[in-house]
Amino acid sequence: MDDEKIMALAFAEAKKGIGLTWQNPVVGAVICKDNQILATGYHHQFGQHHAEIDALSHLQTLKEAEGATMYVTMEPCSHFGKTPPCAKKLVAVGIKKVIIGQRDPNPLVAGKGINILKDHGISVKVLNTTGELNEAYNFFYRHHRPLVTLKYAMSLDGKLNYQAGQRTRLTGDAAFADSQTLRIANQAILVGEKTLTVDDPKLTVRTANLPFPPIRIGLVNNADKLPLSAQLFQQEAPVWLLTRTKSTRQWPKFVRVFQDQTWTPQTIVEFLAKQGIQSLLVEGGSHVLAAFTAADLADRLQVYLAPLILGGGGLPAVFGKAASTIEKFKPIKVRQLGSDVVITAGRD
C-alpha cells in the first residue's frame, strides 16, 4: 500500500480532533493488513484515548492487530499521562510495523516511543511530515514559548475604526465565521484595556461548543475598574486578567487575576509558557499589536481587509511603539471571503 496515501487518510482523521485536544496534539491513525484498511481512529478529546488506542478499539478483535501495520501521524507516546503509553500497547497487541508522520517534539516522548517499538522488534519508518497540523504544538517545544498570532480587521486605508473611541464592524459574515475558526485553533486570546472598554467583547467561540475553550486574557492597568457587567464576565469560559495594580475585588470563580507592575509582551509570553499555553491570539488593540511587533513576538499575522475607505479620523491598525527593524513577513495564504480578503502571513 502507498504510505503517503494511507498517511493522508490518517491526517484526515487527525483533523477531526481540532479544537478538542487542548494541550495534546491532534493525531490520527490507520491500521492496515493484507492490503486492506482494517480500522481508523483519532484523538477525540484531551484526557480520552489516543488515536492508536481509538483505532484498535474499532477492530472486531485485537487478534486482528497481530502482524498488522499501523500508520500514525505522530510518534506513539511512551509515558503515563492521562492515558497509558501507546507504544507499549502496540507491542502488546502484536503490531508488526509502525509508519509515523513525525517524531513527537515533547521531551517526555521525543524518540522514546520509537525506541520502545524498535526494542521489541517492530519495524519503524518516519516520514517526517506534519500534514500541516500541530503547528503551535511543534513551535512550543521548539521555541519554549507560545506561537503568537496577531489578528485584526482593517479598511483599505489601514484603519481599525471610523472614529477613535468607537467600535466599527468592518467585515462581513464570512470573515466573522473565519475568525471564529482562528479562535478555535488557539489556546488563549488576548486584548488590551482599550479594546475591553470600547468594544466590550465576549472573546468566546460562537460557532462551536468546545470542552476547553480558549482562555480569554485582558491586559489592564487596574482590573478592579472593569465593570462586572462587561460581556467578558457573562460567560463562564476561563478569564485571566493581567493587571499592573493589585486587585482587592472578589471575582467569579472562572476569573483569575495575575499582578505584575511591568507586564510586557515578553513577560506575557514567558508567563504563558510556564502555564503550558502553546498558542496565543492577540486581537487588539492597536497599541497592543504594536507592542508585540516591536518586541519581535509576532509569528503570524491574520489580516482581514475590508473594501472600505474610512478617512483620517480612524485609528491605524498597528500604532504605537515602533519595531527596531522593518518586519518582513511572507504570505502563506490569501483568500477571498465574500467581499473581504484575508491575508495570512508568517516569518517561518
Side-chain angles (χ1 to χ4, degrees):
M1 302 185 75
D2 186 289
D3 290 345
E4 283 72 23
K5 288 183 179 179
I6 302 301
M7 188 59 71
L9 176 58
F11 282 128
E13 286 291 306
K15 290 178 182 178
K16 296 177 182 178
I18 291 176
L20 303 174
T21 61
W22 186 226
Q23 294 175 344
N24 283 355
V26 294
V27 182
V30 178
I31 302 173
C32 298
K33 188 176 182 180
D34 299 329
N35 290 319
Q36 291 186 334
I37 294 174
L38 301 184
T40 62
Y42 69 99
H43 184 26
H44 287 244
Q45 186 173 306
F46 182 76
Q48 295 184 3
H49 288 319
H50 289 183
E52 302 93 322
I53 310 305
D54 186 51
L56 289 170
S57 73
H58 292 124
L59 295 174
Q60 292 184 0
T61 69
L62 284 180
K63 190 77 174 173
E64 289 184 285
E66 291 184 6
T69 296
M70 174 167 283
Y71 293 78
V72 60
T73 58
M74 186 170 286
E75 175 182 1
C77 65
S78 56
H79 63 290
F80 280 90
K82 295 289 184 182
T83 61
C86 294
K88 292 184 177 180
K89 183 65 174 181
L90 300 187
V91 171
V93 300
I95 291 289
K96 181 181 180 181
K97 184 176 183 179
V98 178
I99 298 177
I100 297 168
Q102 69 157 104
R103 295 174 184 268
D104 192 333
N106 186 338
L108 287 173
V109 185
K112 299 180 183 70
I114 290 173
N115 288 339
I116 289 173
L117 299 175
K118 289 182 174 180
D119 289 346
H120 289 84
I122 296 177
S123 174
V124 177
K125 180 180 180 181
V126 181
L127 300 180
N128 294 316
T129 177
T130 66
E132 298 184 349
L133 296 175
N134 299 307
E135 180 184 24
Y137 180 85
N138 287 314
F139 183 97
F140 179 82
Y141 287 108
R142 188 166 66 246
H143 297 281
H144 311 293
R145 68 166 178 83
L147 176 75
V148 178
T149 300
L150 308 188
K151 171 257 179 180
Y152 52 92
M154 69 178 187
S155 62
L156 290 175
D157 54 343
K159 304 296 175 57
L160 291 178
N161 53 19
Y162 178 69
Q163 182 175 312
Q166 72 176 34
R167 181 182 183 182
T168 304
R169 182 170 179 179
L170 303 177
T171 53
D173 292 342
F176 173 80
D178 189 76
S179 71
Q180 297 298 299
T181 300
L182 182 62
R183 285 184 176 180
I184 290 172
N186 283 271
Q187 294 174 354
I189 304 167
L190 182 143
V191 297
E193 188 167 17
K194 195 74 172 178
T195 300
L196 283 176
T197 55
V198 173
D199 291 359
D200 191 20
K202 295 179 182 178
L203 299 181
T204 53
V205 175
R206 322 282 215 279
T207 55
N209 184 19
L210 302 176
F212 305 96
I215 297 166
R216 300 171 294 156
I217 302 176
L219 176 62
V220 299
N221 287 310
N222 187 340
D224 290 359
K225 289 187 177 181
L226 294 174
L228 288 175
S229 60
Q231 292 200 84
L232 187 70
F233 306 120
Q234 306 313 306
Q235 296 82 24
E236 293 193 3
V239 172
W240 290 1
L241 298 176
L242 309 184
T243 180
R244 294 188 174 94
T245 58
K246 186 176 180 180
S247 172
T248 59
R249 176 185 282 175
Q250 189 72 27
W251 294 94
K253 290 183 179 180
F254 60 89
V255 178
R256 298 178 66 187
V257 180
F258 304 91
Q259 190 262 330
D260 188 322
Q261 292 181 355
T262 58
W263 283 117
T264 65
Q266 186 62 47
T267 59
I268 289 170
V269 297
E270 289 173 358
F271 165 74
L272 294 179
K274 291 178 181 178
Q275 308 301 315
I277 301 300
Q278 299 164 6
S279 53
L280 173 65
L281 179 63
V282 181
E283 292 199 2
S286 181
H287 291 278
V288 174
L289 294 168
F292 272 85
T293 301
D296 197 29
L297 286 170
D299 305 304
R300 295 288 182 272
L301 299 179
Q302 186 123 324
V303 181
Y304 295 87
L305 186 61
L308 304 170
I309 295 290
L310 298 182
L315 186 66
V318 181
F319 183 72
K321 188 175 182 180
S324 57
T325 59
I326 295 176
E327 292 285 335
K328 292 185 178 180
F329 291 81
K330 64 178 182 180
I332 297 172
K333 188 181 296 184
V334 179
R335 295 169 289 146
Q336 184 163 351
L337 298 173
S339 59
D340 306 311
V341 173
V342 56
I343 303 169
T344 305
R347 294 191 297 180
D348 292 338

